[in-house]
Amino acid sequence: MQHDRSAPGQVQPFKQIIMESINKYEIKGTVGNVRVQKFEDTQVANMSVVTNYIYKGRTGTPMVETFWMNVCAWQGKGMPEDFDSIRKGDIVHAKGRLRDRDYTAADGSLRHITEMIADSLDVIPAEEAVKAAAAEG
């Protein structure tokens, strides 16, 4: 940001610069834990999804970075009909945005969490994923 210095020694307030920002996130991984809750007639699924990033280290040895992300999906457009069918081991492909929030845990401590709020969610049951991987070779 720039200052508007109309008079020597006098600084005017900052001018606000408006920028377009992007908060998009896409993840494809394996479901760990999943909890489905119902609020009135709408379901919400909170799940942990694990992804792996595989690369070669300095010595050429394969290295694996494992990353867990919490995903929150509200029933509606772009979502499966019934979240109750999502199970541990299923493959999910989610698109959405990241959100930070604080909450109070059961023990009374304040916790901070970064989670993905899904706009769309595709689910491949674990059995189908295994069959597809076997067919590929």
Side-chain angles (χ1 to χ4, degrees):
M1 291 192 225
Q2 298 177 351
H3 289 92
D4 181 7
R5 297 178 187 244
S6 53
Q10 185 178 7
V11 178
Q12 298 295 322
F14 284 108
K15 291 184 179 179
Q16 189 175 22
I17 298 175
I18 300 173
M19 294 175 32
E20 184 177 335
S21 62
I22 297 173
N23 183 0
K24 290 185 180 182
Y25 194 72
E26 184 172 354
I27 188 170
K28 185 175 184 179
T30 306
V31 175
N33 295 324
V34 62
R35 186 181 74 214
V36 178
Q37 296 174 301
K38 196 166 192 172
F39 296 101
E40 296 178 13
D41 292 335
T42 304
Q43 287 183 324
V44 61
N46 290 294
M47 65 192 87
S48 58
V49 178
V50 64
T51 61
N52 291 314
Y53 176 68
I54 301 170
Y55 63 96
K56 289 187 179 181
R58 292 182 187 179
T59 62
T61 309
M63 306 290 287
V64 178
E65 285 182 13
T66 301
F67 181 75
W68 287 91
M69 172 59 69
N70 294 313
V71 177
C72 178
W74 288 82
Q75 191 176 34
K77 185 178 180 180
M79 299 294 173
E81 288 288 322
D82 186 18
F83 287 143
D84 289 325
S85 63
I86 301 173
R87 301 277 182 252
K88 182 176 183 174
D90 289 349
I91 305 297
V92 294
H93 183 191
K95 296 178 184 177
R97 62 184 173 87
L98 292 182
R99 175 179 74 173
D100 286 339
R101 67 180 174 93
D102 296 320
Y103 68 96
T104 304
D107 64 1
S109 62
L110 186 63
R111 305 268 175 99
H112 179 80
I113 187 172
T114 299
E115 63 187 348
M116 178 186 181
I117 307 299
D119 295 326
S120 68
L121 184 72
D122 295 318
V123 181
I124 302 170
E127 301 82 28
E128 289 182 29
V130 169
K131 287 178 187 175
E136 287 181 9

